[in-house]
Amino acid sequence: MGLQRSPSYKPNAQPKPIPETKNEENKVNGYSTTNEPIFLNSSYNSWVVEHPSALRSFDGMMKATKGKRIVVFLDYDGTLSPIMRKAVCKVAKKFPTAIISGRCRDKVKEFVKLSNVCYAGSHGMDIMAPPRAVKSSDGKNHNISPDKKGGEVLFQPAKKFMPAIEKIYRILEEKTKTIQGARVEDNRFCISVHYRQVRDEDYGMLEETVKSVVETYQEFHVTEGKKVLEVRPSIEWNKGHALEYLLETLGFSNSSTDVLPFYIGDDRSDEDAFKVIRRRGHGYPIIVSSIPKDTGALYSLCDPSEVLTFLKKLAGRREKSSSYRTLARFRVKAIENLK
């Protein structure tokens, strides 16, 4: 399938629907992606034909990146693991790299403990970025507030919702404490109610409790991820907008045809970022999944171990042209701006 090219980042543009890819040749950035291995699970094997392995497609990807600039985006939960820290660090030394997570930005930074990557928490509603004015996709200006240290600035489009978020968090903690296994997590600009350890027969009660609380706050809504119910402000901002914002902030928004973003994620919330890359017409949206699932990603990796292998291969990529040296200088300057 050939991707349609689109203009550079326009904050007011709304994502277009992702076209169906069935019965079409899987072709991205000019390279066929149908040469796939045989898997034991036949349904997964069929699915991976439409979402080819990023590992087996790696050489073709690298051919397509010749003369291009790579920017790497990673989800955290379900995608990265502590053993990947070294690999991520090596990738970030070669390419601008950002982690976009549903967790609180400070928590993710504490988990990853790398100073050469950018962090976006709360599904992109809490981004560390250079000082500049921006507009979101709804066309409205958002305030950028300085960090306490004064050397960094935060882009927080949902800042005005913080008092209500704190109140909802306290209510949910109280109302769910009798449901065994339920855990309420404050992720600063969103609230995560984890139910991985909740008994199946208690899930309905938990879901009803969460939705009944949120119904009294008209500016919030509930979404569902992997074993988690998430309470978020109802603003036009998600991981896709965060990806666009970071591309713009890092100086890549005006050159969409020679910039190739790689986005690796496993959650439903990552689909918003996949849509943005599909709309741009250039880049590699990669889903991490060991089971077939509906997704806008064009490539796949089976599990975090394959993510690690992919990152190692990307970090070991050699550039024969002078474009790498130019990109390396730009990357260092961009990272210094974010410190």
Side-chain angles (χ1 to χ4, degrees):
M1 171 182 168
L3 291 180
Q4 298 298 314
R5 299 195 177 198
S6 61
S8 60
Y9 169 47
K10 295 181 180 180
N12 293 326
Q14 295 296 320
K16 298 177 182 178
I18 298 176
E20 291 292 329
T21 60
K22 293 183 179 180
N23 300 321
E24 295 183 35
E25 182 184 4
N26 260 329
K27 188 175 288 186
V28 183
N29 296 315
Y31 288 87
S32 177
T33 60
T34 56
N35 183 22
E36 288 305 305
I38 301 298
F39 288 89
L40 294 178
N41 187 311
S42 60
S43 62
Y44 186 84
N45 185 44
S46 299
W47 178 82
V48 88
V49 169
E50 296 186 5
H51 307 89
S53 165
L55 284 177
R56 289 183 60 86
S57 305
F58 185 82
D59 290 342
M61 288 180 176
M62 293 305 103
K63 289 180 181 178
T65 63
K66 186 176 181 179
K68 310 289 186 181
R69 294 181 290 177
I70 295 174
V71 188
V72 179
F73 297 90
L74 302 164
D75 179 28
Y76 182 75
D77 290 315
T79 301
L80 299 181
S81 67
I83 63 172
M84 296 186 193
R85 183 173 176 272
K86 187 176 180 179
V88 174
C89 183
K90 288 182 177 180
V91 168
K93 287 180 179 179
K94 296 193 69 172
F95 313 109
T97 301
I99 296 176
I100 304 178
S101 174
R103 288 182 180 267
C104 171
R105 178 177 54 83
D106 292 337
K107 292 179 183 177
V108 176
K109 190 172 183 180
E110 178 62 25
F111 294 151
V112 179
K113 295 181 180 179
L114 291 176
S115 60
N116 61 340
V117 303
C118 308
Y119 296 92
S122 303
H123 298 285
M125 288 184 282
D126 187 10
I127 304 175
M128 191 67 71
R132 63 186 299 174
V134 299
K135 290 184 178 180
S136 70
S137 63
D138 57 10
K140 297 179 181 178
N141 288 310
H142 289 290
N143 295 327
I144 301 178
S145 58
D147 184 76
K148 292 180 180 179
K149 296 180 181 179
E152 300 173 318
V153 289
L154 301 175
F155 177 49
Q156 299 173 327
K159 186 176 181 179
K160 69 176 183 178
F161 297 99
M162 286 190 71
I165 291 172
E166 293 172 0
K167 187 178 293 185
I168 295 172
Y169 172 74
R170 291 194 297 269
I171 295 173
L172 286 175
E173 265 204 321
E174 178 64 27
K175 286 186 173 293
T176 62
K177 66 182 182 181
T178 59
I179 302 177
Q180 185 177 353
R183 182 170 65 87
V184 183
E185 182 180 12
D186 181 3
N187 283 315
R188 197 167 190 181
F189 293 100
C190 65
I191 300 167
S192 300
V193 182
H194 300 275
Y195 60 87
R196 185 175 298 278
Q197 297 180 354
V198 172
R199 295 180 302 179
D200 291 343
E201 56 266 33
D202 292 337
Y203 171 75
M205 179 171 57
L206 177 64
E207 181 183 35
E208 184 179 348
T209 298
V210 173
K211 290 184 176 181
S212 65
V213 171
V214 177
E215 283 175 357
T216 62
Y217 292 85
Q218 296 183 354
E219 293 181 308
F220 290 82
H221 66 282
V222 179
T223 63
E224 188 168 357
K226 292 181 65 176
K227 298 293 183 178
V228 63
L229 296 169
E230 294 185 312
V231 180
R232 302 193 212 173
S234 298
I235 64 170
E236 190 65 28
W237 197 267
N238 53 45
K239 288 185 178 182
H241 298 105
L243 182 150
E244 291 179 303
Y245 172 74
L246 284 166
L247 284 174
E248 179 182 11
T249 302
L250 292 171
F252 294 112
S253 62
N254 294 324
S255 53
S256 64
T257 59
D258 66 349
V259 172
L260 293 177
F262 283 69
Y263 190 105
I264 304 177
D266 78 317
D267 193 63
R268 189 175 301 176
S269 61
D270 296 312
E271 295 296 328
D272 294 314
F274 296 158
K275 289 178 183 178
V276 167
I277 295 178
R278 293 285 294 266
R279 191 185 72 229
R280 285 172 59 89
H282 299 273
Y284 297 96
I286 304 171
I287 184 75
V288 182
S289 180
S290 60
I291 60 173
K293 61 169 61 175
D294 292 334
T295 179
L298 295 173
Y299 292 86
S300 66
L301 292 167
C302 185
D303 52 34
S305 67
E306 288 200 350
V307 176
L308 176 60
T309 302
F310 184 86
L311 292 177
K312 286 181 176 179
K313 288 172 70 70
L314 188 60
R317 173 179 180 262
R318 293 182 179 275
E319 274 289 353
K320 297 181 180 180
S321 68
S322 61
S323 61
Y324 169 71
R325 292 192 295 272
T326 301
L327 177 58
R329 288 195 296 270
F330 183 89
R331 189 203 65 77
V332 171
K333 182 178 179 181
I335 295 298
E336 286 177 349
N337 288 337
L338 289 170
K339 290 182 178 179

